[in-house]
């Protein structure tokens, strides 16, 4: 029970993610079959649809926009600040900060991760940037998956219309690909902007994403 309590937040989101993904699979199958029947085709099963390029492109499209959002937020908050937001560092603290503040090298403690105890070298650099690198890598991989699955789905539609398929390079430079991508990007960037700005003036009692209820609007990098 202690383990469940200590990991309740990640477990809750994991369960919601699995339920949402399963719901998308079922709803997507019903929508796909509706189009199939309308076009004179045969309906497919849920496993068949989940293995299709139609499902893969929709999932990868959402994933890449989410991880792009987190990658940009992680990297930009190193150098950019927003006065009054709990999502920002204090003005004047821009940059990678000192070794003492980051508790690396000679400033590390016995409880610090092993790679943080190195004063210099590739292991310290890699660990110091591991979160941004991981988010960027997932974004690039999901973007690649979206482009490949999207090309397959796009070519399937073209073949149904008796048109020639297009190459991967032609697809990733097409208006359809960028229309799909930018639709997701703009919504994610607006969500981050809203979080950064609204958290200056609004509160959620007990949330670490909010300032204390009584904190002044100008308070920066302060969590409730």
């Amino acid at each position: 029970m202690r383990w469940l309590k200590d990991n309740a937040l990640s477990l809750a989101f994991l369960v919601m993610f699995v339920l949402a993904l399963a719901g998308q699979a079922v709803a997507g199958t019903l929508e796909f079959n509706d189009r199939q029947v309308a076009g004179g085709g045969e309906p497919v099963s849920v496993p068949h649809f989940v293995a299709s390029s139609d499902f893969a492109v929709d999932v990868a499209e959402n994933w890449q926009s989410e991880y792009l959002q987190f990658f940009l937020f992680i990297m930009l908050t190193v150098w950019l600040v927003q006065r009054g937001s709990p999502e920002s560092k204090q003005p004047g603290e821009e940059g990678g900060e000192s070794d003492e503040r980051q508790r690396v090298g000679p400033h590390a403690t016995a409880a610090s991760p092993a790679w943080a105890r190195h004063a210099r070298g590739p292991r310290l650099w890699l660990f110091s940037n591991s979160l941004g690198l991981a988010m960027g890598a997932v974004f690039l991989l999901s973007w690649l998956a979206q482009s490949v699955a999207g090309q397959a789905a796009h070519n399937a539609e073209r073949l149904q219309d008796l048109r020639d398929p297009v190459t991967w390079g032609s697809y990733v430079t097409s208006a359809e690909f960028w229309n799909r991508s930018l639709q997701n990007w703009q919504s994610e960037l607006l969500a981050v902007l809203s979080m950064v700005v609204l958290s200056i003036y609004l509160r959620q009692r007990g949330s670490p994403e909010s300032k204390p209820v009584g904190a002044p609007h100008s308070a920066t990098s302060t969590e409730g």
Side-chain angles (χ1 to χ4, degrees), residues 73 82-89 195-203 207-212 217 219-224:
F73 190 63
Q82 175 59 58
R83 183 179 295 276
S85 176
E87 305 297 328
S88 167
K89 295 191 292 188
M195 184 67 180
V196 170
V197 175
L198 292 179
S199 61
I200 299 174
Y201 304 103
L202 305 180
R203 309 287 189 270
S207 174
E209 300 305 315
S210 167
K211 292 184 286 190
H217 294 323
T220 308
S221 189
T222 302
E223 297 179 347

Side-chain angles (χ1 to χ4, degrees), residues 67-222:
Y67 280 95
L68 174 65
Q69 170 196 176
F70 284 119
F71 171 73
L72 291 176
F73 190 63
I74 289 167
M75 300 309 296
L76 290 179
T77 50
V78 175
W79 300 101
L80 305 179
V81 298
Q82 175 59 58
R83 183 179 295 276
S85 176
E87 305 297 328
S88 167
K89 295 191 292 188
Q90 292 280 358
E93 296 181 354
E94 298 88 344
E97 302 179 348
S98 66
D99 287 354
E100 181 178 5
R101 181 159 187 176
Q102 287 292 311
R103 287 180 282 182
V104 299
H107 306 286
T109 67
S112 298
W115 284 21
R117 299 172 193 160
H118 294 271
R120 294 287 183 271
R123 282 188 289 184
L124 177 60
W125 181 89
L126 185 62
F127 187 64
S128 298
N129 297 279
S130 55
L131 182 59
L133 290 171
M135 292 296 180
V138 176
F139 161 67
L140 290 175
L141 290 173
S142 54
W143 179 87
L144 180 61
Q146 177 202 348
S147 67
V148 173
Q151 179 202 8
H154 181 65
N155 282 339
E157 293 180 0
R158 291 181 64 88
L159 290 173
Q160 287 179 355
D161 297 334
L162 303 179
R163 293 185 294 168
D164 292 333
V166 299
T167 64
W168 179 82
S170 296
Y171 177 70
V172 296
T173 56
S174 68
E176 175 178 329
F177 177 79
W178 285 105
N179 180 48
R180 293 176 66 102
S181 295
L182 293 171
Q183 281 184 54
N184 285 281
W185 291 8
Q186 54 89 10
S187 63
E188 302 299 341
L189 296 174
L190 177 62
V192 174
L193 172 63
S194 301
M195 184 67 180
V196 170
V197 175
L198 292 179
S199 61
I200 299 174
Y201 304 103
L202 305 180
R203 309 287 189 270
Q204 180 57 58
R205 185 168 186 157
S207 174
E209 300 305 315
S210 167
K211 292 184 286 190
V213 176
H217 294 323
S218 59
T220 308
S221 189
T222 302

Side-chain angles (χ1 to χ4, degrees), residues 9-76:
L9 184 59
S10 56
L11 290 172
F13 273 97
L14 177 61
V15 170
M16 288 188 286
F17 162 72
V18 172
L19 291 175
L21 189 63
Q24 179 188 353
V26 174
T29 302
L30 294 175
E31 181 187 12
F32 181 81
N33 284 340
D34 185 59
R35 297 198 308 267
Q36 281 286 97
V37 172
E42 293 292 327
V44 301
S45 64
V46 172
H48 186 278
F49 174 72
V50 169
S52 69
S53 58
D54 291 83
F55 181 74
V57 68
D58 288 339
V59 171
E61 181 180 312
N62 285 307
W63 288 15
Q64 60 96 352
S65 62
E66 295 290 347
Y67 280 95
L68 174 65
Q69 170 196 176
F70 284 119
F71 171 73
L72 291 176
F73 190 63
I74 289 167
M75 300 309 296
L76 290 179

